[in-house]
C-alpha cells in the first residue's frame, strides 16, 4: 500500500512539473496536458472562454488599458514621437501578449515607413483595389515594426473642407467613405488588426475634446454612421471612440452609440478603444456603456477599476464582455500563436515604393486644362518653377498621422528626373526674369501641417479660411499675368477656394499631400506619362459661404442632414468644381443603360468607350434620386462606382451593383430602416453634375 502511494505521488509530481497546474473555482487541483486556450486548433470562442476563466479580476482589468502612467516613462517619451507607449501590458503568468498599437493612415508612424498619399488623395483615386493594396502594405510595415494593431482607417465624414483632419479621411460622401474604409481594412487585416476611427461624429478639430454635437437620429444613422457599419461588416477588429460628445454624452460613455448601435444592431464583436487620453470619462459608466480599452494609460480604467473591484462594485458582466472582446481579436490575429515574421526593411522594397507612386498618381485631379495645354511636351526648352512648395516635399499634418519616410521627392526633383531642358527654380520675390525666359511657368503652392491637421495647440487645427495664403495668391497672379503659359499645382488636404485667381491660369492640378513619390507623380501627370484619373471626393465651392458653417471653436453645435454636394444641390448652389469631377487627357462616351432588379441588388449595366487618342481610366458613378418621396431626401446620392481603364477606341460593358438596402431611409417613427415604394431615378454620371445616362426603377 505504502509503495502504491509513493509511486502515485511521484507520478503526480512529474505531471505537475511537466504540464502545469490549474486551480478550478471549487479549489480542486486539476491537472491538464496543455490549456485549451493554447490549442491553436480549438475554436476561438472556446479558447476565449477557457482563458477568461483562468484570469483573476485584476488580470482582466489589466487587459483593458495601456498600463500605469507613473511607471511608464518610456511610454511618455514615446508619446511625443509616437515610437512607443502605445501598448497594453503582456500578461506573463498566462502568456497573454499585449496590444501594440501604431498610427496610420498615410503610412505607419513608426520607423522610416513608406509615406503614401494622404487618404483624401486616395479617395480621389476611387480605386478600392488600390486602397486594399495600400492597407495590406501598411499592415505589413506595422507588423515589421512589432505592432499588431494599426490605428487606421480614419473614416470620419468631411462635413466641411475646413476640418483640420480632412486629409486623413476619404471625403464628404458616406458611400465613398464606406467603400474605401472597407478596402483598407480588408488589406490591412491580412496581417494586423485595423481600427476604424473616430466613432463617431468627429468632424471638428479645435474643440474635439469637448464639443457636444447635437444630431437627430436620422442624420446620425444615414449620414454619419453607415460607413462605420460597413467597417464592422468587413470584420474590423477594433473601433476607436472619439473624444467629442454626441447629444450630451461623451462617446466613450455613450451606450446608444457603443452598445445599441455598434455592438447590438451591427453585431460588432471586436473591441472599442478610446481615443488617446479620454480621461474625462467616468470608469463604470464607460465600462457599462461599452468602452473596452482605455489608451494610452489606465487613468479612468486601471487603478479606478481596481478600487471598484476592492469595494465590490465592479460590473463583472461588462468587465468580462470587454476582456472577451480583446482576447477574441488576439486569438484571431494569431498573437498567441507565434509572431508574424515580416522583414524590417519591407518599406525599402520596390513594390512599396511603386505603390506609393501609384497612390500619388491616381489621386491627382486635373481641374483645369485650357486649350489642352497639358500634357507638356518634353521638347520645350525652359520651365520656370515658383512657389514655396516647388522644392519642398509636403507630406501632410504634424500630428498622429505623420510618417518619416527614407526620402521624399519634391515637385522640382520629379520634373528634373524626366525633363532634359532647362529648369529655373525661381525666387518668389523676383519673378520677372524667370517668367520672361520660360516657355512654361509652374507654380507649386498649398498648405502645410501648420495650416491644417490634428489640433496640437500651436500647429494644425481647423481652417476657417479656405483660400490659399494671400502671398501665394499674389504670386499666382503675378506670374500668370506675364507668363507665356502658367500652371498651378496645389498641395493641401482638402478643398481650396480658387476664385481669386482661377481665370488667370491655364491649367490647375490638385495633388493633395502626395506622399514620398509625390514629385515623380506630379511630373508624370504634367508630361503625360500618366493620364490623370482622379475625381474630387469633396466639393470645391466658390467661397466658404457656399458651405454650411464649419462651427469650429464651439462647445455645442448642431449638425443638419445636409452637407457636401447634397447640400449644394438641395440649395441650388453652383460649386466651382463638383464632387466626382476630374479631367483626363482622353474622352469617354457612355451608352446603352440597362437596369435589372435582382431582388437584393439592382444591376446597372452600360457601355463605356474611350473616344480619345490616349489610354486612360474613368470613374463611372451611379447616383440615385427619389421621385415623389414622402420624406425630405437628397436630390440624388452616390450608391455605386467603379474605375475602369480603357485603351484608345476600346469599349467595355460595365455592370455596377447597387444594394436595395442602400435605398432605405431611417424611419424615426418606427426606429428602423424602411424602403419607400416610389420610383428611383438611376443616373450614370462622371460627376454629380455631369449625368451621362439616366434610367428608372420601380421596385415591384
Ligand atoms: C488621435 C488618434 C490617434 C491617437 C494615437 C489621437 O490624438 O486622435 O487618431 O490614433 O492620438 O496617436
Amino acid at each position: 500500500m505504502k509503495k502504491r502511494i509513493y509511486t502515485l505521488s511521484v507520478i503526480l509530481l512529474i505531471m505537475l512539473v511537466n504540464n502545469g497546474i490549474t486551480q478550478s473555482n471549487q479549489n480542486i487541483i486539476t491537472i491538464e496536458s496543455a490549456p485549451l486556450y493554447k490549442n491553436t486548433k480549438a475554436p476561438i470562442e472556446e479558447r476565449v472562454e477557457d482563458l477568461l476563466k483562468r484570469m483573476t479580476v485584476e488580470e482582466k482589468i489589466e487587459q483593458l488599458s495601456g498600463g500605469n502612467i507613473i511607471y511608464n516613462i518610456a511610454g511618455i517619451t514615446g508619446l511625443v514621437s509616437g515610437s512607443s507607449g502605445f501598448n497594453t501590458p503582456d500578461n506573463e503568468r498566462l502568456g497573454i501578449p499585449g496590444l501594440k498599437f501604431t498610427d496610420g493612415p498615410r503610412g505607419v508612424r513608426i520607423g522610416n515607413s513608406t509615406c503614401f498619399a494622404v487618404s483624401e488623395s486616395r479617395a480621389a483615386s476611387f480605386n478600392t483595389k488600390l486602397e486594399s493594396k495600400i492597407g495590406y502594405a501598411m499592415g505589413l510595415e506595422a507588423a515589421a515594426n512589432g505592432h499588431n494593431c494599426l490605428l487606421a482607417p480614419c473614416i470620419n465624414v468631411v462635413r466641411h473642407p475646413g476640418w483640420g483632419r480632412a486629409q486623413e479621411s476619404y471625403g464628404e460622401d458616406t458611400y465613398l467613405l464606406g467603400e474605401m474604409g472597407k478596402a483598407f481594412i480588408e488589406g490591412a487585416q491580412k496581417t494586423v488588426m485595423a481600427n476604424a476611427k473616430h466613432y463617431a461624429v468627429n468632424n471638428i478639430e479645435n474643440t474635439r475634446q469637448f464639443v457636444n454635437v447635437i444630431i437627430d437620429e436620422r442624420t446620425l444613422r444615414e449620414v454619419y454612421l453607415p460607413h462605420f457599419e460597413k467597417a464592422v461588416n468587413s470584420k474590423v477588429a477594433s473601433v476607436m471612440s472619439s473624444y467629442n460628445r454626441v447629444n450630451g454624452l461623451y462617446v466613450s460613455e455613450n451606450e446608444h452609440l457603443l452598445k445599441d448601435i455598434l455592438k447590438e444592431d451591427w453585431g460588432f464583436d471586436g473591441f472599442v478603444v478610446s481615443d488617446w487620453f479620454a480621461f474625462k470619462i467616468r470608469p463604470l459608466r464607460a465600462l457599462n456603456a461599452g468602452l473596452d480599452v482605455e489608451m494610452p494609460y489606465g487613468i479612468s480604467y486601471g487603478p479606478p477599476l481596481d478600487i471598484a473591484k476592492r469595494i465590490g462594485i465592479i460590473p463583472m458582466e461588462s468587465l468580462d464582455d470587454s476582456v472577451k472582446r480583446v482576447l477574441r481579436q488576439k486569438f484571431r490575429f494569431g498573437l498567441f500563436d507565434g509572431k508574424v515574421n515580416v522583414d524590417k526593411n519591407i518599406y525599402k522594397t520596390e513594390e512599396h515604393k511603386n505603390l506609393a507612386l501609384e497612390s500619388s498618381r491616381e489621386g491627382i485631379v486635373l481641374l483645369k486644362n485650357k486649350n489642352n495645354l497639358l500634357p507638356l511636351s518634353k521638347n520645350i526648352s525652359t520651365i520656370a518653377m515658383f512657389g514655396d512648395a516647388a522644392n519642398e516635399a509636403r507630406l501632410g499634418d504634424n500630428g498622429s498621422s505623420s510618417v518619416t519616410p527614407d526620402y521624399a521627392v519634391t515637385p522640382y526633383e520629379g520634373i528634373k528626373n524626366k525633363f532634359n531642358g532647362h529648369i529655373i527654380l525661381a525666387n518668389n520675390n523676383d519673378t520677372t526674369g524667370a517668367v520672361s525666359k520660360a516657355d512654361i511657368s509652374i507654380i507649386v503652392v498649398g498648405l502645410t501641417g501648420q495650416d491644417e491637421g490634428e489640433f496640437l495647440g500651436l500647429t494644425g487645427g481647423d481652417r476657417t479660411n479656405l483660400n490659399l495664403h494671400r502671398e501665394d495668391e499674389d504670386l499666382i497672379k503675378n506670374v500668370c499675368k506675364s507668363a507665356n503659359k502658367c500652371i498651378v499645382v496645389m498641395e493641401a488636404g482638402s478643398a481650396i477656394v480658387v476664385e481669386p485667381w482661377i481665370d488667370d491660369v491655364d491649367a490647375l492640378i490638385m495633388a493633395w499631400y502626395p506622399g514620398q513619390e509625390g514629385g515623380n507623380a506630379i511630373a508624370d501627370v504634367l508630361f503625360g506619362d500618366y493620364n490623370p484619373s482622379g475625381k474630387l471626393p469633396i466639393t470645391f465651392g466658390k467661397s466658404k459661404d457656399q458651405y454650411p458653417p464649419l462651427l469650429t471653436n464651439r462647445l455645442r453645435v448642431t449638425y443638419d442632414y445636409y452637407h457636401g454636394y447634397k447640400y449644394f444641390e438641395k440649395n441650388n448652389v453652383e460649386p466651382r468644381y463638383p464632387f466626382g469631377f476630374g479631367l483626363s487627357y482622353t474622352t469617354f462616351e457612355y451608352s446603352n443603360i440597362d437596369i435589372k432588379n435582382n431582388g437584393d441588388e439592382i444591376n446597372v449595366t452600360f457601355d463605356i468607350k474611350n473616344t480619345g487618342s490616349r489610354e486612360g481610366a474613368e470613374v463611372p458613378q451611379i447616383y440615385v434620386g427619389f421621385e415623389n418621396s414622402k420624406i425630405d431626401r437628397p436630390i440624388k446620392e452616390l450608391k455605386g462606382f467603379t474605375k475602369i481603364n480603357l485603351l484608345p477606341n476600346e469599349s467595355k460593358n460595365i455592370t455596377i451593383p447597387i444594394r436595395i438596402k442602400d435605398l432605405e431611409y431611417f424611419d424615426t417613427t418606427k426606429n428602423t430602416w424602411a424602403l419607400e415604394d416610389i420610383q428611383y431615378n438611376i443616373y450614370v454620371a462622371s460627376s454629380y453634375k455631369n449625368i451621362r445616362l439616366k434610367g428608372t426603377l420601380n421596385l415591384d
Side-chain angles (χ1 to χ4, degrees):
M1 178 67 177
K2 249 188 172 169
K3 202 173 162 201
R4 275 181 62 197
I5 292 176
Y6 173 73
T7 319
L8 231 124
S9 314
V10 170
I11 292 173
L12 197 62
L13 197 71
I14 291 170
M15 286 174 80
L16 289 181
V17 171
N18 284 341
N19 303 321
I21 349 170
T22 55
Q23 191 143 11
S24 80
N25 289 344
Q26 293 81 32
N27 265 347
I28 298 167
I29 296 201
T30 54
I31 301 158
E32 57 184 18
S33 49
L36 174 65
Y37 77 89
K38 291 200 171 161
N39 178 355
T40 54
K41 301 224 166 59
I44 287 183
E45 286 311 310
E46 286 177 26
R47 296 177 79 184
V48 169
E49 290 298 339
D50 180 65
L51 179 51
L52 187 79
K53 68 175 191 247
R54 295 165 195 271
M55 295 170 75
T56 64
V57 178
E58 287 76 7
E59 284 173 326
K60 291 178 182 174
I61 293 171
E62 196 192 44
Q63 284 291 302
L64 302 188
S65 77
N68 193 320
I69 190 166
I70 313 281
Y71 304 114
N72 200 343
I73 299 299
I76 295 171
T77 51
L79 254 186
V80 181
S81 63
S83 62
S84 65
F86 286 14
N87 305 336
T88 63
D90 297 331
N91 175 323
E92 278 166 23
R93 184 179 79 87
L94 294 160
I96 311 175
L99 292 165
K100 297 192 170 27
F101 298 99
T102 183
D103 269 300
R106 71 171 185 256
V108 173
R109 191 173 174 190
I110 307 284
N112 297 112
S113 314
T114 308
C115 182
F116 296 94
V118 292
S119 307
E120 191 82 274
S121 162
R122 283 155 26 214
S125 79
F126 277 73
N127 188 341
T128 51
K129 287 197 190 93
L130 179 59
E131 190 57 11
S132 254
K133 284 193 205 163
I134 291 170
Y136 179 57
M138 275 192 223
L140 288 177
E141 292 193 20
N145 283 296
H147 293 85
N148 49 42
C149 185
L150 180 60
L151 298 169
C154 168
I155 51 171
N156 291 114
V157 170
V158 181
R159 181 185 151 270
H160 189 286
W163 176 41
R165 295 180 80 173
Q167 61 189 277
E168 287 187 57
S169 198
Y170 300 110
E172 70 187 27
D173 181 76
T174 306
Y175 182 81
L176 176 61
L177 273 156
E179 291 300 299
M180 297 305 280
K182 171 176 177 241
F184 183 94
I185 291 162
E186 286 170 356
Q189 291 204 155
K190 289 192 175 134
T191 318
V192 294
M193 303 177 206
N195 177 272
K197 67 186 188 185
H198 313 78
Y199 180 79
V201 201
N202 177 164
N203 323 82
I204 295 173
E205 193 51 20
N206 293 7
T207 47
R208 65 176 173 160
Q209 294 283 356
F210 305 99
V211 66
N212 181 14
V213 183
I214 308 300
I215 187 167
D216 65 80
E217 192 68 14
R218 180 169 170 228
T219 306
L220 184 66
R221 298 284 192 138
E222 288 185 26
V223 183
Y224 291 88
L225 298 190
H227 38 293
F228 280 100
E229 184 178 9
K230 216 170 251 178
V232 169
N233 291 339
S234 318
K235 298 256 161 285
V236 72
S238 65
V239 165
M240 187 185 290
S241 57
S242 56
Y243 292 120
N244 52 290
R245 287 180 277 175
V246 175
N247 294 330
L249 272 179
Y250 284 112
V251 174
S252 296
E253 296 183 344
N254 199 314
E255 192 166 335
H256 183 52
L257 280 168
L258 299 184
K259 253 198 179 150
D260 302 348
I261 299 180
L262 178 67
K263 293 183 175 176
E264 279 165 24
D265 274 16
W266 303 344
F268 174 59
D269 69 355
F271 61 89
V272 176
V273 55
S274 73
D275 200 345
W276 268 222
F277 291 108
F279 48 81
K280 34 199 196 252
I281 52 174
R282 292 163 287 180
L284 299 188
R285 181 101 199 205
L287 192 61
N288 284 327
L291 174 72
D292 302 308
V293 178
E294 186 200 13
M295 285 304 288
Y297 304 110
I299 296 172
S300 293
Y301 283 14
L305 289 187
D306 281 331
I307 294 170
K309 185 253 159 180
R310 253 175 259 146
I311 60 177
I313 56 166
I314 188 117
M316 280 311 294
E317 205 182 311
S318 299
L319 181 72
D320 281 353
D321 181 61
S322 291
V323 175
K324 283 206 261 185
R325 288 170 176 278
V326 171
L327 296 179
R328 185 177 296 132
Q329 300 307 324
K330 287 183 175 180
F331 283 119
R332 179 179 160 211
F333 284 86
L335 269 61
F336 289 84
D337 313 329
K339 285 211 168 95
V340 187
N341 264 332
V342 183
D343 182 355
K344 259 203 157 322
N345 288 323
I346 182 141
Y347 66 92
K348 289 190 174 158
T349 57
E350 282 308 304
E351 216 179 325
H352 284 212
K353 285 184 197 163
N354 287 339
L355 202 53
L357 177 63
E358 226 181 305
S359 89
S360 316
R361 281 165 155 185
E362 289 218 20
I364 290 177
V365 188
L366 177 62
L367 292 172
K368 180 174 180 183
N369 194 13
K370 195 166 147 195
N371 300 329
N372 293 330
L373 170 65
L374 296 176
L376 297 173
S377 151
K378 285 180 190 148
N379 296 328
I380 48 178
S381 88
T382 306
I383 289 177
M385 292 189 73
F386 305 85
D388 290 342
N391 198 21
E392 200 180 289
R394 297 205 172 165
L395 300 177
D397 102 314
N398 302 320
S400 58
S401 75
S402 352
V403 177
T404 325
D406 249 2
Y407 70 90
V409 182
T410 71
Y412 167 72
E413 290 164 346
I415 291 178
K416 225 166 110 208
N417 284 343
K418 68 170 60 216
F419 175 61
N420 292 326
H422 184 44
I423 310 175
I424 307 169
L425 195 52
N427 176 345
N428 295 341
N429 300 320
D430 178 18
T431 55
T432 333
V435 167
S436 64
K437 286 187 204 115
D439 304 303
I440 302 283
S441 293
I442 301 176
I443 306 144
V444 192
V445 284
L447 307 177
T448 66
Q450 193 68 31
D451 304 311
E452 58 176 349
E454 194 166 349
F455 183 61
L456 302 172
L458 295 176
T459 159
D462 298 318
R463 206 161 39 108
T464 47
N465 180 347
L466 299 183
N467 287 39
L468 289 174
H469 289 288
R470 192 55 194 269
E471 52 283 14
D472 289 338
E473 295 191 334
D474 290 346
L475 177 70
I476 295 173
K477 285 192 218 156
N478 230 336
V479 171
C480 294
K481 74 171 187 266
S482 42
N484 193 8
K485 296 282 175 210
C486 87
I487 299 166
V488 172
V489 177
M490 291 193 296
E491 295 186 331
S494 181
I496 300 277
V497 167
V498 300
E499 295 314 292
W501 45 267
I502 187 64
D503 291 339
D504 304 342
V505 311
D506 295 292
L508 173 62
I509 279 174
M510 183 66 193
W512 316 100
Y513 296 118
Q516 67 183 46
E517 284 286 340
N520 287 332
I522 290 168
D524 281 348
V525 166
L526 288 172
F527 290 98
D529 292 332
Y530 179 78
N531 185 353
S533 61
K535 308 282 172 186
L536 292 180
I538 183 158
T539 310
F540 275 43
K542 288 185 180 160
S543 79
K544 78 171 167 27
D545 303 327
Q546 283 194 327
Y547 298 93
L550 170 61
L551 305 170
T552 189
N553 297 326
R554 306 267 191 93
L555 289 181
R556 189 178 194 277
V557 300
T558 302
Y559 281 7
D560 295 329
Y561 186 86
Y562 289 99
H563 74 274
Y565 69 89
K566 296 173 205 169
Y567 175 90
F568 276 70
E569 197 163 39
K570 197 80 182 176
N571 294 295
N572 231 340
V573 180
E574 198 57 36
R576 166 54 64 176
Y577 298 118
F579 174 89
F581 170 78
L583 298 168
S584 164
Y585 298 149
T586 187
T587 45
F588 300 96
E589 189 182 273
Y590 292 67
S591 59
N592 298 332
I593 185 169
D594 181 49
I595 298 166
K596 276 209 176 63
N597 183 350
N598 295 336
D600 286 350
E601 265 181 12
I602 304 159
N603 279 342
V604 183
T605 303
F606 54 95
D607 292 325
I608 180 162
K609 182 175 180 191
N610 181 347
T611 47
S613 53
R614 278 172 184 268
E615 178 177 356
E618 172 69 326
V619 178
Q621 301 151 44
I622 310 288
Y623 294 85
V624 177
F626 312 90
E627 195 76 35
N628 298 327
S629 167
K630 303 225 167 25
I631 51 164
D632 177 30
R633 300 191 82 163
I635 309 283
K636 59 180 179 300
E637 50 189 2
L638 186 72
K639 295 296 180 194
F641 63 84
T642 190
K643 187 158 193 175
I644 166 132
N645 197 69
L646 293 166
L647 297 170
N649 266 320
E650 192 185 7
S651 138
K652 276 191 184 146
N653 184 256
I654 307 283
T655 297
I656 300 182
I658 296 174
R659 293 193 323 158
I660 298 273
K661 181 98 197 55
D662 286 347
L663 305 180
E664 294 177 351
Y665 72 100
F666 193 78
D667 182 351
T668 43
T669 59
K670 302 199 181 92
N671 207 28
T672 184
W673 292 89
L675 189 64
E676 282 190 291
D677 189 8
I678 53 171
Q679 177 184 304
Y680 293 89
N681 295 331
I682 312 289
Y683 306 99
V684 180
S686 53
S687 83
Y688 90 84
K689 295 288 269 182
N690 194 355
I691 293 163
R692 302 301 198 87
L693 301 168
K694 192 182 159 198
T696 55
L697 170 86
N698 290 300
L699 292 175
D700 38 40

